[in-house]
Amino acid sequence: MTTPLSPPDAPIGVAAESVSAARPGDAARAGAIQLAAQGLRLVVSVATGMTLARLLTPTDFGVYAMVATLLALVDTARGFGLGPALVHDAEWSASRAVTVAKAALIGSLALSALVVLMAAPLSWIYSEPRVSGVALAVSLGVFFAGVPVVWEARLVRQLNFWPIARAETIALIVSVLVALFIAVRGGDYWALVAQYVTYTLSRAVLLRLGSQWGTVQVAAAAQRAQQPSEKAQRWREVRPLLAFGRQYTLAQTITFAGRSADRVVVGVLAGPAVLGLYENANRWSMFAFGQVLDPLYNVFLATLNRARRSGADLGAAVSRVFMPPMSAVVPALAYLALETPAIVRVLLGDQWDGAVPYLRILCGAAAANSVLKFTRIVHVVTGSTARQLRFAVFRTLIMLAAVLTGAQWSAMGIAWSVLLAAWSLAVCSLWYSTVETAIRPWDIVRAFARPSGAALVAAGLLRVMAPALESDAGAPAMLLRAAMFGVLYAAAWLALPGGTGAAAQLMRLLRDVRGGAAAR
């Protein structure tokens, strides 16, 4: 079942804004902008993670993680799916955008209030009094996070990702400076709290400045002059958007509830110190695919929605769009799992040695989660949010059962259960997300096949060619092995069947990026 989004009537006072026309290379250039900005953010994030890991203790991270799980759960409901609904919709109407913005603002207030109400229960569940103060403070960030949903959706529809990349990069740098200042001054876990609140506030302000909201403000003025019956009509017009957003948000929230169950159970059973190790391992395992796929999520949606609306082969578009980022994500996860002890000691320090076994296991789960992320994108692009919701319920039940089973063997048993459950769900989702659509499971698998095969070959060859470097956990040896792994991976990627054609496709993508830049 899909949630149809019909074109709106002409808005009162403002003509419908067309954002469907695309210049050649716009999609490729949008991805290039996001990845280039993400490269800078990656450097800042790694440096910040290394520094905070030395200034703070695992217990500090554990206290924040007890609230961060709720925070991330609430974040899945940010904007209540109205941003993706606006991107998916056939036309853009400024007056409808104003109505949606009002709904998003109300939703942000409700989510912020929910976090405030959960402060005391969280403190009781974890038997940790410090949790309540953290929850009250981060509720401000929850509100700021949901405010710019429509401003961002407008930019995404236009494939205008420069203001988004600029806002996220500047907000990250500002928040990092605040966090480091507080950590150096002995602020403990409050440094992590301040980083989140500062980031969401800065990002909201910068997106507002970069969204060219003037046209929509004209529509807002027109709405204020409307009669009550006309305002009611405006809300009736956005019901399809609200229905799409409701199903999307429920699916995202239920999915996250299952995906975060392991951290909740670890925190309850083992306390903040072990949770700090487990949470940091989980965060770094998701780092490789999150740093590439998360900033490209809106690019995927906008590009594939345009392919769908133009009548192009959606299956071929999925393979073409997903394969380049996976060519970076898969080898990063493979190398992280291969060199876990050295990477942990170099980046985090000896106090984090206890995170090594968790990180190695959770890298495998992160690979499965990248498959699940792509199948969720397929659900959204094809409009099958009702099916997405049903699979989210199934996924959460399976993950909860796996975590509770693994809990019998402490945190390590939970990590192994998460790995096995994630891959079982990834296989199921390949079929379920593509049934009754123009996309086949192989279209998604094809994006992973070449990078996965090349990464396995490179890992095996590195083990054979450079065993003497394994015992040296220093940074020079780690970087040397990383360079060797990269060369072996690139050679294997090209040597596998079809490598020449895949390389030619990447070259065309680069030419599209340059062509899109020249067209502007």
Side-chain angles (χ1 to χ4, degrees):
M1 177 181 175
T2 62
T3 301
L5 299 181
S6 56
D9 296 333
I12 298 175
V14 179
E17 178 184 38
S18 174
V19 293
S20 58
R23 295 182 178 92
D26 271 1
R29 184 170 182 267
I33 289 173
Q34 285 290 80
L35 285 178
Q38 191 63 18
L40 175 58
R41 293 196 293 270
L42 175 62
V43 173
V44 174
S45 297
V46 170
T48 304
M50 293 173 62
T51 306
L52 289 178
R54 288 162 172 79
L55 294 173
L56 306 179
T57 66
T59 300
D60 291 328
F61 281 91
V63 170
Y64 181 73
M66 289 174 173
V67 179
T69 300
L70 173 65
L71 199 60
L73 176 63
V74 169
D75 190 61
T76 61
R78 175 168 52 94
F80 291 92
L82 295 174
L86 284 172
V87 175
H88 183 273
D89 202 5
E91 297 290 341
W92 171 277
S93 164
S95 66
R96 288 181 75 183
V98 170
T99 305
V100 171
K102 293 177 180 177
L105 184 62
I106 294 171
S108 295
L109 286 169
L111 290 176
S112 182
L114 175 62
V115 173
V116 171
L117 292 174
M118 287 297 296
L122 277 177
S123 183
W124 175 78
I125 290 171
Y126 288 111
S127 301
E128 176 55 69
R130 291 173 288 185
V131 166
S132 58
V134 174
L136 292 174
V138 299
S139 66
L140 292 172
V142 170
F143 172 74
F144 297 139
V147 170
V149 59
V150 177
W151 308 334
E152 186 175 6
R154 173 186 171 90
L155 294 168
V156 170
R157 282 183 63 95
Q158 296 170 329
L159 284 175
N160 183 14
F161 283 89
W162 167 241
I164 298 175
R166 180 179 58 201
E168 292 179 344
T169 303
I170 295 174
L172 175 63
I173 293 172
V174 172
S175 66
V176 162
L177 292 175
V178 171
L180 291 176
F181 175 79
I182 294 175
V184 169
R185 303 276 295 185
D188 299 328
Y189 53 85
W190 289 109
L192 303 172
V193 174
Q195 183 178 12
Y196 172 74
V197 175
T198 304
Y199 175 80
T200 55
L201 172 60
S202 302
R203 183 178 183 272
V205 171
L206 291 167
L207 281 175
R208 169 63 181 83
L209 295 175
S211 64
Q212 299 176 343
W213 192 239
T215 303
V216 183
Q217 287 179 318
V218 174
Q223 279 197 352
R224 286 193 291 270
Q226 291 175 0
Q227 298 300 318
S229 60
E230 294 173 323
K231 293 181 179 179
Q233 176 63 22
R234 294 292 104 192
W235 283 99
R236 284 193 293 270
E237 287 176 357
V238 301
R239 282 179 182 172
L241 292 172
L242 296 175
F244 182 101
R246 180 177 62 252
Q247 293 174 345
Y248 174 88
T249 301
L250 283 173
Q252 293 287 91
T253 304
I254 292 171
T255 295
F256 183 83
R259 194 155 52 86
S260 61
D262 57 336
R263 281 157 281 169
V264 174
V265 175
V266 169
V268 172
L269 294 180
V274 175
L275 177 59
L277 295 172
Y278 189 96
E279 169 63 22
N280 236 11
N282 179 75
R283 184 164 61 89
W284 281 91
S285 71
M286 303 295 283
F287 198 74
F289 103 84
Q291 290 296 314
V292 175
L293 299 188
D294 287 350
L296 290 178
Y297 181 79
N298 284 328
V299 178
F300 295 149
L301 288 185
T303 304
L304 294 177
N305 271 309
R306 285 188 171 186
R308 173 184 57 82
R309 289 193 290 262
S310 68
D313 184 344
L314 197 53
V318 163
S319 297
R320 185 175 63 253
V321 168
F322 288 169
M323 195 269 286
M326 290 315 300
S327 294
V329 170
V330 171
L333 284 172
Y335 185 74
L336 183 58
L338 188 67
E339 296 288 299
T340 305
I343 291 173
V344 167
R345 292 192 185 100
V346 170
L347 296 184
L348 304 180
D350 293 343
Q351 66 172 328
W352 293 94
D353 281 351
V356 169
Y358 300 127
L359 178 54
R360 183 163 274 164
I361 297 169
L362 293 176
C363 280
N369 283 327
S370 64
V371 179
L372 291 163
K373 189 177 190 72
F374 281 146
T375 57
R376 290 201 303 273
I377 292 172
V378 169
H379 279 301
V380 176
V381 170
T382 56
S384 54
T385 49
R387 292 180 61 83
Q388 182 190 17
L389 177 57
R390 288 194 291 271
F391 186 80
V393 173
F394 171 73
R395 176 181 177 177
T396 297
L397 292 175
I398 295 297
M399 194 60 73
L400 285 173
V403 169
L404 293 176
T405 301
Q408 302 176 56
W409 295 277
S410 71
M412 192 62 65
I414 291 174
W416 279 109
S417 297
V418 167
L419 172 63
L420 296 175
W423 273 108
S424 300
L425 289 165
V427 172
C428 293
S429 71
L430 285 172
W431 169 79
Y432 191 74
S433 66
T434 56
V435 69
E436 299 179 1
T437 72
I439 303 170
R440 299 167 300 167
W442 173 244
D443 294 324
I444 302 175
V445 172
R446 189 162 50 188
F448 291 82
R450 178 175 302 281
S452 299
L456 288 173
V457 171
L461 290 175
L462 186 64
R463 284 289 191 187
V464 173
M465 295 173 61
L469 294 175
E470 288 188 61
S471 60
D472 187 348
M478 186 188 76
L479 293 175
L480 177 58
R481 287 173 62 84
M484 294 175 63
F485 181 85
V487 171
L488 293 171
Y489 170 77
W493 194 95
L494 289 170
L496 289 173
T500 303
Q505 180 179 319
L506 287 178
M507 293 303 297
R508 286 195 297 271
L509 190 65
L510 292 175
R511 285 196 296 270
D512 285 344
V513 172
R514 290 196 298 268
R520 291 179 184 272

PDB file of all heavy atoms in Angstrom, residues 384-395:
ATOM      1  N   SER A 384       5.885   3.298  -0.469  1.00  0.00           N
ATOM      2  CA  SER A 384       5.302   2.164   0.259  1.00  0.00           C
ATOM      3  C   SER A 384       5.607   2.266   1.753  1.00  0.00           C
ATOM      4  O   SER A 384       6.205   1.367   2.352  1.00  0.00           O
ATOM      5  CB  SER A 384       5.823   0.844  -0.314  1.00  0.00           C
ATOM      6  OG  SER A 384       7.236   0.821  -0.329  1.00  0.00           O
ATOM      7  N   THR A 385       5.207   3.381   2.346  1.00  0.00           N
ATOM      8  CA  THR A 385       5.509   3.601   3.764  1.00  0.00           C
ATOM      9  C   THR A 385       4.699   2.673   4.672  1.00  0.00           C
ATOM     10  O   THR A 385       5.121   2.402   5.796  1.00  0.00           O
ATOM     11  CB  THR A 385       5.232   5.059   4.141  1.00  0.00           C
ATOM     12  OG1 THR A 385       3.933   5.441   3.673  1.00  0.00           O
ATOM     13  CG2 THR A 385       6.276   5.985   3.514  1.00  0.00           C
ATOM     14  N   ALA A 386       3.539   2.208   4.204  1.00  0.00           N
ATOM     15  CA  ALA A 386       2.772   1.252   5.016  1.00  0.00           C
ATOM     16  C   ALA A 386       3.524  -0.069   5.123  1.00  0.00           C
ATOM     17  O   ALA A 386       3.588  -0.678   6.194  1.00  0.00           O
ATOM     18  CB  ALA A 386       1.395   1.032   4.403  1.00  0.00           C
ATOM     19  N   ARG A 387       4.126  -0.515   4.035  1.00  0.00           N
ATOM     20  CA  ARG A 387       4.943  -1.730   4.070  1.00  0.00           C
ATOM     21  C   ARG A 387       6.192  -1.503   4.928  1.00  0.00           C
ATOM     22  O   ARG A 387       6.625  -2.393   5.661  1.00  0.00           O
ATOM     23  CB  ARG A 387       5.351  -2.139   2.650  1.00  0.00           C
ATOM     24  CG  ARG A 387       4.207  -2.606   1.782  1.00  0.00           C
ATOM     25  CD  ARG A 387       4.692  -2.989   0.387  1.00  0.00           C
ATOM     26  NE  ARG A 387       5.646  -4.091   0.443  1.00  0.00           N
ATOM     27  CZ  ARG A 387       5.312  -5.376   0.519  1.00  0.00           C
ATOM     28  NH1 ARG A 387       4.031  -5.713   0.552  1.00  0.00           N
ATOM     29  NH2 ARG A 387       6.245  -6.309   0.553  1.00  0.00           N
ATOM     30  N   GLN A 388       6.755  -0.323   4.827  1.00  0.00           N
ATOM     31  CA  GLN A 388       7.911   0.001   5.648  1.00  0.00           C
ATOM     32  C   GLN A 388       7.568  -0.096   7.134  1.00  0.00           C
ATOM     33  O   GLN A 388       8.358  -0.598   7.938  1.00  0.00           O
ATOM     34  CB  GLN A 388       8.424   1.402   5.325  1.00  0.00           C
ATOM     35  CG  GLN A 388       9.657   1.804   6.116  1.00  0.00           C
ATOM     36  CD  GLN A 388       9.999   3.274   5.957  1.00  0.00           C
ATOM     37  OE1 GLN A 388       9.172   4.067   5.519  1.00  0.00           O
ATOM     38  NE2 GLN A 388      11.222   3.652   6.315  1.00  0.00           N
ATOM     39  N   LEU A 389       6.385   0.374   7.493  1.00  0.00           N
ATOM     40  CA  LEU A 389       5.945   0.326   8.882  1.00  0.00           C
ATOM     41  C   LEU A 389       5.794  -1.120   9.350  1.00  0.00           C
ATOM     42  O   LEU A 389       6.218  -1.479  10.458  1.00  0.00           O
ATOM     43  CB  LEU A 389       4.626   1.077   9.037  1.00  0.00           C
ATOM     44  CG  LEU A 389       3.977   1.072  10.424  1.00  0.00           C
ATOM     45  CD1 LEU A 389       4.936   1.633  11.461  1.00  0.00           C
ATOM     46  CD2 LEU A 389       2.680   1.871  10.395  1.00  0.00           C
ATOM     47  N   ARG A 390       5.206  -1.974   8.505  1.00  0.00           N
ATOM     48  CA  ARG A 390       5.040  -3.375   8.895  1.00  0.00           C
ATOM     49  C   ARG A 390       6.396  -4.056   9.086  1.00  0.00           C
ATOM     50  O   ARG A 390       6.582  -4.827  10.036  1.00  0.00           O
ATOM     51  CB  ARG A 390       4.204  -4.112   7.841  1.00  0.00           C
ATOM     52  CG  ARG A 390       2.732  -3.724   7.840  1.00  0.00           C
ATOM     53  CD  ARG A 390       1.901  -4.704   7.033  1.00  0.00           C
ATOM     54  NE  ARG A 390       2.188  -4.605   5.600  1.00  0.00           N
ATOM     55  CZ  ARG A 390       1.564  -3.783   4.761  1.00  0.00           C
ATOM     56  NH1 ARG A 390       0.601  -2.977   5.224  1.00  0.00           N
ATOM     57  NH2 ARG A 390       1.847  -3.774   3.473  1.00  0.00           N
ATOM     58  N   PHE A 391       7.331  -3.778   8.192  1.00  0.00           N
ATOM     59  CA  PHE A 391       8.653  -4.387   8.346  1.00  0.00           C
ATOM     60  C   PHE A 391       9.363  -3.842   9.575  1.00  0.00           C
ATOM     61  O   PHE A 391      10.117  -4.573  10.231  1.00  0.00           O
ATOM     62  CB  PHE A 391       9.511  -4.143   7.097  1.00  0.00           C
ATOM     63  CG  PHE A 391      10.826  -4.870   7.138  1.00  0.00           C
ATOM     64  CD1 PHE A 391      10.895  -6.214   6.818  1.00  0.00           C
ATOM     65  CD2 PHE A 391      11.994  -4.222   7.543  1.00  0.00           C
ATOM     66  CE1 PHE A 391      12.101  -6.908   6.877  1.00  0.00           C
ATOM     67  CE2 PHE A 391      13.198  -4.903   7.602  1.00  0.00           C
ATOM     68  CZ  PHE A 391      13.255  -6.248   7.267  1.00  0.00           C
ATOM     69  N   ALA A 392       9.142  -2.581   9.899  1.00  0.00           N
ATOM     70  CA  ALA A 392       9.756  -2.005  11.099  1.00  0.00           C
ATOM     71  C   ALA A 392       9.294  -2.732  12.351  1.00  0.00           C
ATOM     72  O   ALA A 392      10.102  -2.990  13.272  1.00  0.00           O
ATOM     73  CB  ALA A 392       9.421  -0.515  11.188  1.00  0.00           C
ATOM     74  N   VAL A 393       8.002  -3.065  12.414  1.00  0.00           N
ATOM     75  CA  VAL A 393       7.491  -3.815  13.572  1.00  0.00           C
ATOM     76  C   VAL A 393       8.146  -5.194  13.637  1.00  0.00           C
ATOM     77  O   VAL A 393       8.605  -5.641  14.701  1.00  0.00           O
ATOM     78  CB  VAL A 393       5.960  -3.945  13.477  1.00  0.00           C
ATOM     79  CG1 VAL A 393       5.428  -4.859  14.577  1.00  0.00           C
ATOM     80  CG2 VAL A 393       5.297  -2.571  13.571  1.00  0.00           C
ATOM     81  N   PHE A 394       8.212  -5.866  12.482  1.00  0.00           N
ATOM     82  CA  PHE A 394       8.850  -7.186  12.426  1.00  0.00           C
ATOM     83  C   PHE A 394      10.317  -7.099  12.842  1.00  0.00           C
ATOM     84  O   PHE A 394      10.814  -7.911  13.631  1.00  0.00           O
ATOM     85  CB  PHE A 394       8.726  -7.732  10.997  1.00  0.00           C
ATOM     86  CG  PHE A 394       9.513  -8.987  10.744  1.00  0.00           C
ATOM     87  CD1 PHE A 394       9.096 -10.200  11.270  1.00  0.00           C
ATOM     88  CD2 PHE A 394      10.666  -8.961   9.974  1.00  0.00           C
ATOM     89  CE1 PHE A 394       9.819 -11.367  11.042  1.00  0.00           C
ATOM     90  CE2 PHE A 394      11.392 -10.113   9.732  1.00  0.00           C
ATOM     91  CZ  PHE A 394      10.967 -11.324  10.275  1.00  0.00           C
ATOM     92  N   ARG A 395      11.011  -6.105  12.326  1.00  0.00           N
ATOM     93  CA  ARG A 395      12.433  -5.936  12.646  1.00  0.00           C
ATOM     94  C   ARG A 395      12.644  -5.712  14.134  1.00  0.00           C
ATOM     95  O   ARG A 395      13.568  -6.292  14.735  1.00  0.00           O
ATOM     96  CB  ARG A 395      13.005  -4.762  11.854  1.00  0.00           C
ATOM     97  CG  ARG A 395      14.441  -4.436  12.177  1.00  0.00           C
ATOM     98  CD  ARG A 395      14.951  -3.248  11.381  1.00  0.00           C
ATOM     99  NE  ARG A 395      16.316  -2.900  11.754  1.00  0.00           N
ATOM    100  CZ  ARG A 395      17.029  -1.942  11.177  1.00  0.00           C
ATOM    101  NH1 ARG A 395      16.497  -1.231  10.196  1.00  0.00           N
ATOM    102  NH2 ARG A 395      18.265  -1.688  11.572  1.00  0.00           N
TER     103      ARG A 395
END
